[in-house]
């Protein structure tokens, strides 16, 4: 796995960690499909995160933080990089997506990523779990 692919996976796991409810079955099915040949399909997790409204924000902030460091993400948050239309948006499913702004994510990325990094040793177990959100939380909350 390349460094960039590792960052995609770490950012994706961070986005999973941020979820408060189970993901739609179509998303978990796609994750399981990708996991079957993960070594050649990691980049598809980026596409999946960006296409899934509840994963998109935390994924983007974590990936940016991992690639550019805390300064890059912080500067964008100060300049209004967060998408204004996403806050308190009601999704098609009827659930309310109470989006968080960049400062919320940035304050905890540094604390959460080390906790979930051990999941990188067996990513397929998380990606193929019946509830990946629950799987990412196992043994990481202290």
């Amino acid at each position: 796995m390349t460094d960039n692919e590792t960052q995609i996976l770490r950012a994706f796991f961070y986005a999973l960690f941020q979820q408060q409810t189970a993901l739609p079955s179509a998303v978990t099915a796609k994750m399981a499909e990708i996991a079957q040949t993960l070594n050649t399909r990691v980049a598809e997790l980026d596409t999946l995160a960006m296409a899934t409204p509840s994963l998109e924000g935390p994924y983007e902030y974590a990936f940016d933080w991992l690639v550019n460091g805390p300064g890059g993400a912080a500067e964008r948050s100060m300049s209004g990089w967060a998408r204004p239309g996403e806050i308190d948006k009601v999704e098609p499913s009827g659930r309310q997506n109470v989006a968080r702004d960049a400062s919320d994510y940035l304050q905890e990325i540094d604390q959460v990523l080390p906790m979930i990094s051990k999941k990188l040793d067996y990513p397929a177990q998380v990606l193929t779990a019946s509830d990946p959100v629950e799987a990412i939380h196992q043994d990481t909350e202290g």
Side-chain angles (χ1 to χ4, degrees):
M1 197 176 295
T2 67
D3 286 344
N4 189 56
E5 289 171 332
T6 300
Q7 304 307 30
I8 289 170
L9 189 57
R10 290 178 77 198
F12 192 85
F13 278 7
Y14 174 79
L16 280 179
F17 189 85
Q18 294 305 310
Q19 303 308 295
Q20 301 201 1
T21 59
L23 293 167
S25 59
V27 174
T28 58
K30 185 65 175 176
M31 288 168 52
E33 178 188 320
I34 292 168
Q36 298 305 312
T37 51
L38 184 61
N39 288 335
T40 60
R41 298 179 71 182
V42 173
E44 290 181 47
L45 293 174
D46 174 79
T47 304
L48 182 61
M50 298 304 289
T52 307
S54 65
L55 294 174
E56 182 183 13
Y59 173 82
E60 281 187 297
Y61 287 115
F63 186 78
D64 185 60
W65 188 91
L66 288 163
V67 172
N68 299 314
E75 285 177 23
R76 269 190 291 290
S77 97
M78 298 287 221
S79 66
W81 187 63
R83 291 180 185 87
E86 292 298 312
I87 296 182
D88 297 327
K89 174 181 165 187
V90 176
E91 296 179 3
S93 65
R95 289 184 318 183
Q96 188 168 6
N97 175 22
V98 181
R100 298 164 51 193
D101 69 24
S103 61
D104 289 339
Y105 294 120
L106 295 173
Q107 289 174 8
E108 69 186 9
I109 288 174
D110 195 34
Q111 297 168 356
V112 171
L113 283 175
M115 291 189 303
I116 61 174
S117 286
K118 61 185 166 185
K119 302 288 184 173
L120 295 176
D121 293 337
Y122 47 95
Q125 284 184 344
V126 173
L127 297 172
T128 60
S130 60
D131 185 351
V133 172
E134 183 179 316
I136 199 70
H137 282 94
Q138 288 176 344
D139 304 321
T140 56
E141 295 179 331

